[in-house]
Structures are given as structure tokens and as C-alpha cells.
Amino acid sequence: MRHPVEPFRIKTVERIKLPDREEREKILREAKYNLFKIPSEKVFIDLLTDSGTGALSQEQWGAIMVADEAYAGPRSWFKLKDAIYEFSGFDDPIPVHQGRAAEKIIASIYLYEGAKVLSNTLFDTTRANFEKVGAIIYDIPIKEAYTLEENHPFKGNIDLEKLEDILRRENVALVVMVMTNNTGGGQPVDLDNLISAYEICKRYNVPLIIDACRISENSYFVKKRNPKYSNWEVKDIIKESFKYCDGAFMSAKKDGLSNMGGFLFLKDPEKNLRAKELLILWEGFIHYGGLSGRDIESFAVGLLESRDERYLEYRVGQVEYLTRKLKEIGWDVMLPPGGHAAYVEVSRALKHIPKENFPAHSLAVEMYREGAVRVVEVGSLMFKDKAKFEFVRFAIPRRTYTQSHLDYVIDVAARIYEKRESLRGYKIIYEPPYLRHFLAELEMV
Ligand code: F0G
């Protein structure tokens, strides 16, 4: 398994330091074993998230210098509007500061107490925003999504039979396609699956919205894994995808290759206008939506850079390298490799730790204790009894870490695998009412 050559050279560097073992233990204790509470200066390799943590290109830095910070009608906004049109084919987008701001607006327009939402698997902030207004969410991915084996090229697909069956019998308010499916292992959705889902939704008059935060990576997989699209350019697959929806939202912190930003659009002009009204109430005027002109400039350039196929080949290749190496050293992983992260499933390797004591969190904590590597639990700590897997996600920030950084991570994971039976579980001593993993405090059992 070869690591793809990085298709860039490094112009600006940030020093990283490895705290010694004693300091790492102290930091974990002070953070109450919640990795979100660790100062990033104390992290050597930070794979907590791929969101907003990537490196900017020289073109993005250049654009930031010429930003227009006007409240209304800034030049930077028109540049972003054009970029979103070029990216998605939609000409009346609404800027937001990040994805969840769009989620809140969408929830308020489409949902209400008892409203039913179907999805290939909602992300945690989307779920929380929808549940906050009383919606009930059903995840209906294809059955292969709940297996680790390499048995389907598009494990992000929605189960079309279930979709049609539920739409026939029940009143559903909204269908959301998450591309790629982050919670399910960064797995892509086939364009043909999206097209069929959209046709079914049309038949039952139910709106379909795309969560497009990783649509460039998703479209690269469509090109590589569905022979029908092998001669297409990724940028055309992206645009084609946006034809099969009633609206979309995108966190620019992922495939927007930016540190902050996002957009949404609803194809129904009246709903789009309502979204703009709510935007002004919650986020800011329709020409900046909670972003500085500098963020908007970086976003406008990054969004189009994300379609570069040499970059995507390297990006997806890096995730594949990490995933297959983790498998080689003994960990169970989600296969085939996804788009932005490697997902280790610990149920077998850490079977001595019961679910109530968060076995995946135990590995996540150990990655810090052993090597100051920060990763995140996506299992029972995050989803309570709704967790389908005990995953640890190793998310790779875009254009940030090199092969030797990943080799270091693989070494740390290998050392832990050798002594896995000595790992211990955790219990919660404080938990907030929503999204508990962010603020929870834990202790070792
Ligand atoms: N949808 C998906 C699929 C996401 O992965 C995220 C964020 C969001 C929506 C929300 O966007 O953060 O800009 O408000 N995912 C990050 C992660 C936080 O670590 O996976 P946001």
C-alpha cells in the first residue's frame, strides 16, 4: 500500500510539540478525559476533525488580502455567489457561518413537533437541531452500511425500498441525503441512488435536501466506483448531483477548504426568501451571513479548488493508506475506506470493556496517552443507545499532515493494539442535555 505523493509543497509551517508521558497523563486528568477539553498546543497530531482545520492555498491567502468588508453588497460576496453558481449551478445562495446555522434555518422552515425526517444517516448536529424543534428522525441506509466488510462501493446509499415504503404509509416532512455519510464511516452515496431517491420523493411530494459538506469527495468516489461516470469530470458530477434535490446546505469547513463558512439554498423561491429572513434574524445580512469578508474570499477560492482531481486522488488515497494500515496492525476498520477519515471499530478488540463504559472512547483516550494523537469517539458516548458501531474516527485535516505524520499515528495505534487488554473503560460524571460528548466529564473505571 503506497501513500500518494502530496501534490503541494509547504510554504508556511507551524511547530508541533510532543508533551512527555507525565504531562499527557496530567492533561487527560485535567480535561476530565474529554478530548475536546485538551488545548490543541498539547496535541502532537490532531485528527479530531477535518472541519475547518485544513491548510489554505496561496491563492486563498492572496484573496483574503483583498476582501471587501462592507455590510451590504461587498465585492467578496459576489465572488462567492459566482463560485457557488459555478460549483452547484444554483444562483441564489445564502451564506452562513457554518453548517449548523443552515440546519437551524432548515429545521425552522420544514419541521415542527412530530415531523418525520428520513435520511441515509444524519450527522449529530443536524439531528440535534431537528430534534430541538420536535422532529423524529429515521436513519435508513442500505443494510451493508451496518457491516464492516468491503461488500458495497456506496455504503452511504439510502435504502430505496424502505424509503418508498415509509413514504407510501406515512406523512414525512423531509428527506436528507448526507454526502458523504460522516456518521456511517465517510461512505459515499452513488449518484444513481440520489437520482432514484429524488424521483421517489417527487412522487410523494416530499422535499429532499442534500447535506453537501463533503460533496467533492463524494463525487470523486462516484467517478471511481460507478463505471457509468468514469469518463465524467468530478466538477460535472458535483453539478449533476445538485440537480436532484429541492435544496442543499454545505459547511465550507470541509470540502470548502476553508476555516469557516457555509451556504444553503432552497429551490422554492418562497422558502428561500423565508430562509433569508431567518438569516438576518440569526446570522447577519444576506451578503455575509455571519462571515467576515476574509472568510468569504477564502471560501470562494477553496470551494472551486476542492474539485481538483489530483488533489482529490491524494486526499482519498491518504485516507485509504491510513485505513488499510490500521487494519494491517490488527484493528477492525470500516471498509471500503471512506472520504475524510479512517474509522476503527473496537467491539472485538476491546470486548472486555462493556458499551456502558465506552470502549471506543477508551481507545481515543489511549491514543492521546500513548502518543498525544487526538481522535474522536463516534459510538455510545456520542449516540447513547442509538449507536450502531463503537467507532474511533481518525479524521484527516485537508492538505495538513504528511505521510510521516500518518506513519507516526499508525505506530501509536500498533503499540496500543499490542497491549489492548490493559485498556480500561470510562464512566460519565457530568453530561449536558444535547450533544453530550462535547461537554461531558468522565472518569476511568
Ligand atoms: N453535516 C455533516 C455531515 C458534518 O460532518 C458536519 C460537521 C455538519 C453537517 C455541521 O457542519 O460543523 O460547519 O456546523 N462535522 C464536523 C465533524 C464537526 O467533525 O465531522 P458545521
Side-chain angles (χ1 to χ4, degrees):
M1 180 69 213
R2 282 193 49 194
H3 185 283
V5 176
E6 288 82 1
F8 50 78
R9 57 187 170 199
I10 295 165
K11 188 175 307 203
T12 305
V13 296
E14 180 181 354
R15 270 160 52 98
I16 50 177
K17 285 184 229 121
L18 179 61
D20 65 29
R21 183 166 285 272
E22 205 176 305
E23 194 183 356
R24 299 198 295 267
E25 198 59 64
K26 179 165 166 278
I27 288 164
L28 279 173
R29 263 197 319 274
E30 284 171 2
K32 307 273 196 251
Y33 300 98
N34 183 333
L35 303 171
F36 287 96
K37 295 185 196 235
I38 295 181
S40 88
E41 290 242 291
K42 302 294 181 190
V43 175
F44 189 52
I45 307 286
D46 201 349
L47 306 185
L48 182 76
T49 179
D50 63 319
S51 180
T53 50
L56 304 188
S57 66
Q58 59 182 359
E59 286 74 17
Q60 286 175 290
W61 283 115
I64 285 169
M65 295 304 289
V66 296
D68 177 354
E69 302 291 350
Y71 189 101
R75 181 177 65 240
S76 302
W77 163 246
F78 294 109
K79 184 167 163 189
L80 176 59
K81 190 168 177 273
D82 286 349
I84 295 172
Y85 177 68
E86 165 66 25
F87 187 77
S88 69
F90 192 78
D91 66 359
D92 192 15
I94 300 170
V96 287
H97 83 274
Q98 66 181 97
R100 66 200 73 178
E103 292 162 3
K104 184 178 171 196
I105 291 172
I106 288 169
S108 142
I109 290 178
Y110 287 98
L111 306 178
Y112 45 86
E113 190 67 43
K116 294 191 179 108
V117 178
L118 304 179
S119 170
N120 58 332
T121 302
L122 283 191
F123 181 65
D124 59 357
T125 58
T126 325
R127 184 178 307 274
N129 268 302
F130 287 10
E131 285 177 348
K132 184 96 171 69
V133 298
I136 304 160
I137 291 125
Y138 300 97
D139 292 332
I140 49 164
I142 55 168
K143 61 178 190 312
E144 289 86 350
Y146 295 130
T147 63
L148 296 175
E149 293 79 53
E150 199 152 2
N151 52 9
H152 199 291
F154 293 100
K155 284 172 143 183
N157 282 357
I158 199 164
D159 186 323
L160 295 168
E161 253 171 56
K162 271 193 197 149
L163 175 68
E164 173 134 34
D165 187 49
I166 300 173
L167 292 188
R168 191 186 306 120
R169 289 185 289 107
E170 295 184 46
N171 199 357
V172 171
L174 190 65
V175 172
V176 181
M177 292 291 275
V178 186
M179 300 166 68
T180 60
N181 176 3
N182 184 2
T183 310
Q187 295 293 316
V189 174
D190 190 5
L191 178 51
D192 290 342
N193 182 259
L194 172 71
I195 294 172
S196 303
Y198 183 63
E199 281 167 357
I200 294 169
C201 288
K202 275 254 128 353
R203 224 176 304 135
Y204 293 90
N205 211 12
V206 175
L208 183 151
I209 298 277
I210 296 178
D211 175 346
C213 67
R214 296 183 182 87
I215 191 125
S216 304
E217 290 162 9
N218 195 87
S219 301
Y220 182 76
F221 282 123
V222 170
K223 178 180 172 116
K224 290 290 153 183
R225 296 185 186 173
N226 183 344
K228 216 166 114 186
Y229 300 102
S230 61
N231 293 325
W232 285 48
E233 286 189 49
V234 167
K235 66 180 173 47
D236 295 325
I237 299 176
I238 297 172
K239 254 196 201 146
E240 188 71 10
S241 307
F242 283 112
K243 285 186 186 160
Y244 302 96
C245 69
D246 298 290
F249 67 99
M250 178 167 182
S251 164
K253 302 177 74 170
K254 287 83 172 171
D255 279 348
L257 291 175
S258 293
N259 301 122
M260 195 49 73
F263 69 78
L264 88 135
F265 61 74
L266 303 173
K267 290 183 184 173
D268 174 342
E270 237 162 71
K271 288 205 161 61
N272 213 43
L273 183 58
R274 278 217 49 216
K276 287 182 189 173
E277 293 160 8
L278 291 171
L279 184 86
I280 294 172
L281 191 65
W282 289 330
E283 286 277 293
F285 190 56
I286 55 168
H287 295 157
Y288 70 90
L291 294 166
S292 70
R294 295 182 289 277
D295 296 324
I296 291 176
E297 286 282 345
S298 153
F299 177 8
V301 176
L303 186 65
L304 299 184
E305 281 178 3
S306 78
R307 313 180 303 172
D308 174 358
E309 299 194 15
R310 276 193 53 221
Y311 152 74
L312 285 167
E313 183 185 356
Y314 140 79
R315 164 85 182 141
V316 162
Q318 200 179 32
V319 172
E320 173 157 18
Y321 177 79
L322 178 60
T323 305
R324 299 221 185 265
K325 289 281 182 187
L326 288 168
K327 170 95 181 153
E328 238 172 73
I329 59 183
W331 294 104
D332 290 332
V333 294
M334 175 54 102
L335 291 172
H340 66 292
Y343 289 71
V344 169
E345 217 289 342
V346 304
S347 300
R348 182 190 53 83
L350 302 182
K351 58 177 180 297
H352 62 288
I353 304 175
K355 271 186 185 316
E356 309 81 77
N357 296 128
F358 314 121
H361 187 65
S362 173
L363 170 59
V365 170
E366 204 61 26
M367 286 298 294
Y368 184 79
R369 184 180 279 124
E370 182 68 29
V373 174
R374 180 157 63 174
V375 288
V376 72
E377 193 259 15
V378 182
S380 294
L381 178 57
M382 190 180 275
F383 293 119
K384 304 185 182 173
D385 55 351
K386 294 208 179 78
K388 295 280 197 262
F389 288 111
E390 297 300 333
F391 277 141
V392 178
R393 186 185 75 168
F394 294 60
I396 307 184
R398 293 169 181 78
R399 310 188 289 204
T400 302
Y401 291 117
T402 63
Q403 173 175 357
S404 71
H405 289 126
L406 295 188
D407 285 338
Y408 172 85
V409 171
I410 292 157
D411 283 347
V412 172
R415 291 203 295 274
I416 297 173
Y417 190 77
E418 290 313 310
K419 59 173 182 189
R420 61 192 179 283
E421 274 152 32
S422 69
L423 266 59
R424 288 158 62 183
Y426 289 83
K427 68 170 193 250
I428 293 185
I429 50 177
Y430 160 73
E431 73 175 288
Y434 308 106
L435 298 167
R436 68 174 178 177
H437 50 289
F438 287 125
L439 296 178
E441 295 180 358
L442 301 104
E443 64 186 22
M444 215 192 276
V445 293

